[in-house]
Each structure stands twice: as structure tokens, then as C-alpha cells.
Amino acid sequence: MKAVRIGAPAGLDRLETVEIADPGLPEAGEIRVRIHATSLNYHDYRIANGEALAVRGRIPMADGAGVVEAIGEGVEAFAVGDSVVSLFFPQWSDGPARIGDFAQTPGDGVDGYAREVVVRPASWFTHAPAGFTHAQAATLTTAGLTAWRALVVDGKLKAGDIVLTLGTGGVSIFALQFAHAMGAHVIATSSSDEKLERLRELGAAHTINYRATPDWGRAATDWTGGIGVDHVVEVGGVGTLPQSIAAVRIGGHISLIGALTGRSGDVPLTAFLVKQARLQGLIVGSRSHQIDMIRALETTGIKPVIDRTFALEDLGEAFLLQEAGRHFGKIVVEF
């Protein structure tokens, strides 16, 4: 069967399409899944291009969606023919966060889903949302669940709240969709007026071009009448955090998800203390969170925004599109 492996040294031009052995039939507690799609995330990008430590020959990609082909003894949650989607943290079933590394994350500590078939414990998957294509389901494992946890699980989002999202990547688009569907008001940022128009079409109540308005934190606060936003979905890191602090209301909530602008730097502590806000780091979520999110997707009718799809052997080209930052929403690989 076909798979993609990371070469040595790692690099987007060193991803190797290879033939590997079929994993065979599942044992007790396992399922065999024919993978049909995966989607790109920043975590996958850092592994593929060598920024993060990767084992030579590792099969990348944390997200995987497909169809159950066989079940092992004792498996009751799934049946042959079920559409399923993978988990980012297979060992985190429910409760508070207990995992702070990627030792069991597919595509990082263990082989991922850039391959046609896997045999894994049944607990490594959930059902995909009814009516979703495999490409749509493959966007949920990392980006969808991160946005869900940021706003719903940790942020306790409620109707009437004001949410600030940054950019047009997968997490930010999902955050906009979840917030809008739940009756919140969204302020969305981008450096592209064309993308801002698309954000308004998705339900953004207000948009800000952060290149034209460098003090976008103040602009967001002004739009709220000087109060500030209830939630910030912060994907930039140290380069954008000062503006996010400026935007958040007193006692508000900032979800620190990404570090696209760097991994260390100065933070305006006095401004943050005055805001008395909650800054919470998070990495994706649990199996229970994913099940709840999927139920919400089925109820609200939200569908992921997919920018473009690629073939498995073109995974490197897909990463180059991600690297360029020209996409809107998710980039998917189908096979």
C-alpha cells in the first residue's frame, strides 16, 4: 500500500512516496481503517520541514478520516462501513488535560495517516459527523477540535459574547463558524481585503485589516464600545499577543493556541495584569471533547471550509501552499 515517509534530513522536498506492507487484520480491540483523507496543520508542517524533531522514516499527519474495513474481537463502538475520524491524543479519553507531549500523537511520536490503511485501537477514533465527506471529516482532528475547546470547553462561550479571531487559517475559520452558530458576535482580522469579505460572508460581524490598522487591538475594543472582547482565539503568539491583550475586556479570556510569530518575546505584563484576563494555553482536546463537537456539527449544519485538495503523492506541494499562507481555511489531501 502507498504511504509518505519523512526523509533524512527532513524537508518538504524530501517527503518520500513509498510502498509499505499492509497491516493485516485487526486484533482484539482494534479496527482496520481505509484512510481516504488527511488535512494539513502547523504541527504537521513543523515535522515535515524539520523544525520539530522527527524520526527518519516517520509517516506524518495527525488527521485521518476513512472507513472501517474490519473490526477485532470485542469492538462494539464501530461496525464495518462506519465513517471515522482520528484523535490527536489517542490516550486522552476525557477529563482535564493530562498530556503535555506528543509521544503518542500520530505523525509525531508514532506513525500518522499519510497512508492508505491503518490498524489501530478502536479508541483512537470517533465516528465522523453524519453527512460529512472524508475530506471534511479530516479537518476536525486538530483544527476543528482546537477551536471547539478554546471557545466552548475552556471559554464557556454563550450567545451574545464577542469573539476575536486572527487570520484565516483552519482554527480561526472554525472558531468563527462555531461562535456565529452559537449566537456570538465575531470580529475577524486578515491582511487581505478579499479574505475579509469572505469572513463577512461566513458571519463575521466586523472585520479589521491588521496591515492597514496596526493597532487592531484598540480597533476591536472601539467596536465593542470601549469594553473589549470576551474571547480571543490567539494563534500568532508573541508577535500578536500584545494586541490581543489590548483587545480583551477586563476579566476576559485569551486562548493561546499558536506561535506563528515566534516562540519567545516580550509580553506587556502590566497591561495584562490590569485586564485581569485569563490566558490559557491549549493543545487540541480529548476524545470526549471531539464527540461533543461532532454532535454540535451535526446539529448546527456547520461544514468545514476547504481551500484546496491534493493527492497523497503531492503532500510536499500541499505544504508549500500552507507555507505561503495564501490559503483560506483547510488544505486537504485525498486518496
Side-chain angles (χ1 to χ4, degrees):
M1 69 175 187
K2 188 187 300 183
V4 172
R5 290 191 183 277
I6 294 173
L12 301 183
D13 59 344
R14 295 185 177 91
L15 293 171
E16 305 166 343
T17 302
V18 298
E19 289 291 327
I20 63 173
D22 188 280
L25 294 174
E27 297 183 355
E30 295 180 333
I31 57 176
R32 175 186 168 99
V33 179
R34 174 73 58 173
I35 302 297
H36 287 293
T38 183
S39 76
L40 279 63
N41 301 285
Y42 185 61
H43 183 82
D44 304 303
Y45 169 76
R46 293 188 65 243
I47 293 169
N49 74 0
E51 287 183 36
L53 181 64
V55 176
R56 180 182 181 182
R58 172 69 73 229
I59 297 173
M61 310 307 288
D63 300 359
V67 176
V68 176
E69 290 190 329
I71 62 173
E73 182 182 353
V75 173
E76 298 180 352
F78 300 104
V80 173
D82 283 353
S83 293
V84 295
V85 59
S86 66
L87 294 168
F88 190 90
F89 288 126
Q91 278 71 40
W92 183 12
S93 176
D94 55 20
R98 298 184 178 90
I99 301 173
D101 60 46
F102 306 109
Q104 293 297 317
T105 296
D108 192 332
V110 299
D111 281 338
Y113 296 105
R115 50 177 161 168
E116 293 179 309
V117 178
V118 299
V119 173
R120 287 276 169 82
S123 59
W124 285 42
F125 291 87
T126 68
H127 287 95
F132 269 45
T133 66
H134 298 305
Q136 290 170 333
T139 68
L140 303 178
T141 297
T142 304
L145 190 54
T146 298
W148 175 262
R149 181 182 165 196
L151 290 178
V152 180
V153 179
D154 294 343
K156 311 300 182 188
L157 181 72
K158 62 183 183 300
D161 281 355
I162 300 176
V163 176
L164 174 63
T165 64
L166 312 185
T168 57
V171 173
S172 297
I173 295 294
F174 269 117
L176 165 58
Q177 291 177 294
F178 286 138
H180 179 62
M182 297 179 71
H185 310 290
V186 179
I187 302 172
T189 71
S190 173
S191 62
S192 163
D193 288 337
E194 180 182 353
K195 288 183 176 180
L196 290 174
E197 175 59 31
R198 294 185 66 183
L199 291 168
R200 289 190 289 271
E201 292 172 357
L202 286 173
H206 183 62
T207 57
I208 302 170
N209 186 316
Y210 63 78
R211 189 161 291 163
T213 309
D215 193 11
W216 47 267
R218 172 54 57 188
T221 298
D222 289 344
W223 187 80
T224 69
I227 297 171
V229 305
D230 298 288
H231 308 275
V232 183
V233 181
E234 170 56 75
V235 298
V238 294
T240 53
L241 187 56
Q243 290 296 320
S244 292
I245 292 172
V248 76
R249 67 168 172 82
I250 294 173
H253 171 234
I254 302 174
S255 294
L256 183 59
I257 292 165
L260 299 177
T261 60
R263 298 187 172 272
S264 62
D266 295 330
V267 176
L269 289 179
T270 299
F272 180 66
L273 289 171
V274 169
K275 285 297 182 73
Q276 302 171 70
R278 177 162 56 100
L279 176 64
Q280 181 162 358
L282 67 107
I283 306 173
V284 197
S286 69
R287 189 173 196 274
S288 177
H289 295 154
Q290 184 158 309
I291 291 170
D292 288 343
M293 175 190 67
I294 288 170
R295 185 183 301 115
L297 289 167
E298 292 175 334
T299 300
T300 61
I302 290 172
K303 292 295 178 65
V305 176
I306 296 175
D307 183 276
R308 186 174 167 189
T309 61
F310 291 81
L312 181 60
E313 56 268 26
D314 296 326
L315 180 58
E317 183 182 346
F319 276 123
L320 289 175
L321 175 62
Q322 181 188 30
E323 183 178 66
R326 295 191 300 269
H327 58 292
F328 185 94
K330 294 293 293 179
I331 301 169
V332 172
V333 171
E334 290 187 281
F335 45 99

